[in-house]
Every structure is written in structure tokens, then in C-alpha cells.
């Protein structure tokens, strides 16, 4: 069955004609050598398939002879229809069951062939260029074809940023000592969970940007709703030693934000003693304290902690969970670690405290601070009002 027969009668089966839209759409692919190819949708209908007569002919695994077709909509967008292909056409990893109007940055699979839809103009493309070309080195083309890339860009630009806070309390007395800032998303087309958001950002190589966006938005919100609070804020390992990180922190006081910041440093950074010592000095110049996060989860050792003592050491959930039922040997080990951290001048914080029995053992061991569902679950920013 030919392409015309597959589409049936009507405008979509007509001979290709110049696109009626001023926008110049393209499909971006990646060649076997890693270079990026740009296939301009210069005429519509724009057919994709294995046959040489298609506007985009692909000898790729899983490709049908006439696989799919793109046509223009009245508002200048593109509508994608699968032509009964064997291996399917997918948009953002969802198989098409009917025609779908596309958006810029949608990820499209024709069988196993992957493309990203874009608009020419963000890359330098000569007016008389062939429909298929190799993108020049340095062109601003995505290196990862990721669903929801457009939505993530919107989030990083401030649309849909949200957050929550969780209390940190004194082990003795239970008074609130600080809040920990937790990033969230309220973007309608993205998951709210920071775990899923950072997984998406990782595929785009933008974890540090997401961390910075969450931190900036959260600090500004908490400073407005609960001025004067001590606020623990997370960092991503990729940004810890970057100059832009310190520059961003230095702007906060100049913006008049009244919060006492504590920067949580991932335990992997503790191992880089020389860089950590330099970071600690620069943070002190900014009057910002820091904490070592997830102590005990990885390779962080007391030797490094002694070289660059932190204001706070947060003991990982794995050391705290079920501590009341742990062997005497484990309880003594945790107690010795707490004592040595305190001798270095650090306040010790037990993370993941969920029961009163765990909390009681943590008090006996000597922890200064507690954090977990027992003392307060994460709550939206609005909980700070009033």
C-alpha cells in the first residue's frame, strides 16, 4: 500500500507543497558518529518512512515503508499521524493512537528512530540549505532528547516552582531550631517529586540549575513568610565548588533577605579537603554556616571532618532508623561518632527520626538536633503564615 492510499483522500494526500507557516520546523536526530542532523520540514505533507520517496527516508530498524506523516494546522503547528506502522509512532514515549498536534521540543520516535521537534532560528541555518544537514559544531541543539524538556525549561525559568519546609528541633525540649527547605514543583505537566524532577534534569545535564532554582525561590519565599528563620538549604554536588554558586549566595543579603542560611554539603564533597577548606572560608566571609549532609551513607570519614569542621553534621537515615532496636555495638558506634563530631565543634543532627523510641535513644546518645516525621512532616510554604 502506497503513501497516498495509506492517508486516504483529501488534502493530506496531496502532493507536497510549501509550508504555509512562517515558522520553519525541523526534526533533530543524532547520526551514528554522534553528530546532530537537522531535517527541515520544508514541505507538507512531510512523510517519514523507509521508502526513498518519503520526504524523510530512513533505513532504520523498526521503520515501515510509509511510517508516519506530518501536516500543517491552520495556526501553523504540525500534526503527526501514524500510517499504520508495525512498530508504532511515539510522542514523548507514548504511542500514538490518533493524530496529535505537536509542540516544540516534543520527542518523537518512528519505531526506534528518535528525533526532537524544533523551530529553526535558534540555530544558524542558511536560507538555501538542504532539507538534511549536519549541524555545525557549537550549534545550540539539545544533546539529549528528553520528554518534557520544554516544561523543564519553564520550571527553571520560574514557572511552577514550589517548595516545602520541614522542622528541625532540639533533641532536648523539642523547640524548633530551624527549617529545611525542600524543592517541589507545581507545574501542571511535571511531577511534583524532586526525585523525579532531578532525574529529568540529569538527562538534560541541568541538575545544578534545578538545585539553584529551588534554592533561590525557596529562600525568597521563606524570608518573606518567616523572616529571621534559620534555613537549611540543599546543594547539588555539581554546583558546590562553582564560582556562580557563591555569587548567587552573596546576592541574597544584598536583596534584603533576612534568613540565617545553612548550606548542606553533600558527603562526596567532604573528600576534597583543599577545595572544602577554601569553600568554608568563603562561606564564612558571607556569614553563611554549612552542614555535612548524609554522614555515614557513603565514604565520608572523620579525618576529613577534622580537617574542615562543619557547623553541623547530619547523620544519615540509615544510621538512625531503628536505632532503638540496634545492637549495643551499633549504638556505641553511633554514640562515639556523635561524641567525636561534637568534640570538633559540630552540632549533630539525627535525620529520619520516626518514633519516640528512636528519639529517646538519640537523646541518650547525645544528638543535639532531631529531624523526621516524628517531629514534623514536610509542609507547604503556606504553613508558615500566621
Amino acid at each position: 500500500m502506497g503513501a497516498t492510499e495509506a492517508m486516504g483522500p483529501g488534502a493530506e494526500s496531496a502532493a507536497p507543497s510549501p509550508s504555509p507557516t512562517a515558522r520553519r520546523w525541523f526534526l533533530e536526530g543524532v547520526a551514528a558518529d554522534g553528530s546532530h542532523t537537522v531535517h527541515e520540514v520544508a514541505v507538507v505533507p512531510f512523510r517519514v518512512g523507509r521508502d526513498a520517496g518519503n520526504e524523510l527516508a530512513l533505513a532504520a530498524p523498526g521503520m515501515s515503508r510509509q511510517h508516519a506523516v506530518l501536516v500543517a494546522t491552520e495556526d501553523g503547528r504540525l500534526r503527526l499521524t501514524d500510517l499504520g506502522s508495525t512498530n508504532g509512532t511515539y510522542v514523548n514515549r507514548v504511542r500514538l493512537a490518533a493524530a496529535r498536534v505537536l509542540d516544540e521540543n516534543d520527542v518523537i520516535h518512528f519505531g526506534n528512530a528518535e528525533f526532537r521537534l524544533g523551530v529553526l532560528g535558534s540555530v544558524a541555518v542558511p536560507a538555501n540549505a538542504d532539507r538534511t544537514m549536519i549541524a555545525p559544531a557549537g550549534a545550540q541543539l539539545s544533546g539529549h532528547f528528553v520528554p518534557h524538556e520544554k516544561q523543564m525549561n519553564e520550571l527553571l525559568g520560574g514557572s511552577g516552582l514550589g517548595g516545602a519546609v520541614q522542622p528541625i528541633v532540639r533533641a532536648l525540649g523539642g523547640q524548633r531550631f530551624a527549617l529545611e527547605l525542600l524543592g517541589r514543583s507545581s507545574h501542571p505537566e511535571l511531577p511534583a517529586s524532586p526525585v523525579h524532577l532531578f532525574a529529568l534534569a540529569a538527562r538534560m545535564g541541568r541538575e545544578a540549575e534545578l538545585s539553584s532554582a529551588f534554592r533561590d525561590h525557596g529562600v525568597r519565599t521563606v524570608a518573606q513568610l518567616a523572616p529571621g528563620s534559620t534555613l537549611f538549604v540543599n546543594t547539588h554536588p555539581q554546583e558546590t565548588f562553582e564560582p556562580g554558586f557563591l555569587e548567587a549566595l552573596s546576592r541574597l543579603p544584598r536583596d534584603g533577605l533576612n534568613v540565617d542560611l545553612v548550606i548542606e554539603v553533600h558527603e562526596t564533597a567532604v573528600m576534597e579537603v583543599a577545595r572544602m577548606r577554601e569553600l568554608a572560608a568563603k562561606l564564612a566571609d558571607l556569614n553563611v554556616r554549612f552542614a555535612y549532609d548524609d554522614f555515614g551513607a557513603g565514604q565520608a570519614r572523620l579525618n576529613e571532618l577534622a580537617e574542615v569542621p562543619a557547623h553541623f553534621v547530619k547523620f544519615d537515615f540509615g544510621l538512625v532508623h531503628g536505632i532503638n532496636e540496634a545492637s549495643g555495638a551499633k549504638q556505641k558506634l553511633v554514640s562515639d561518632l556523635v561524641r567525636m563530631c561534637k568534640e570538633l565543634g559540630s552540632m549533630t543532627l539525627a535525620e529520619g527520626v520516626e518514633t519516640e523510641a528512636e528519639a529517646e535513644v538519640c537523646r541518650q546518645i547525645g544528638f543535639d538536633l532531631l529531624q523526621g516525621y516524628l517531629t514534623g512532616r514536610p509542609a507547604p510554604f503556606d504553613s508558615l503564615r500566621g
Side-chain angles (χ1 to χ4, degrees), residues 340-360:
M340 286 187 281
C341 287
K342 295 173 76 168
E343 288 176 353
L344 293 170
S346 303
M347 293 186 72
T348 53
L349 189 158
E351 289 193 278
V353 179
E354 297 182 344
T355 68
E356 180 55 39
E358 290 174 344
E360 180 56 31

Side-chain angles (χ1 to χ4, degrees), residues 241 266-274 276 292 298-301 304:
F241 301 118
H266 192 267
E267 58 94 13
T268 55
V270 180
M271 313 305 294
E272 302 191 53
V273 173
M276 201 53 236
Y292 288 140
Q299 300 179 1
R301 300 186 294 256
E304 283 76 18

Side-chain angles (χ1 to χ4, degrees), residues 26 28-30 34-38 116 119-126 133-145 149:
F26 69 87
E28 177 193 355
V30 180
S35 59
H36 287 251
T37 60
V38 175
R116 182 178 67 91
V119 176
L120 292 168
S122 60
V123 294
V125 180
M133 70 196 79
I134 301 297
Q140 297 302 306
L141 292 175
S142 171
H144 303 275
F145 299 144
E149 183 176 356

Side-chain angles (χ1 to χ4, degrees), residues 85 122 136 246:
S85 66
S122 60
L246 289 167

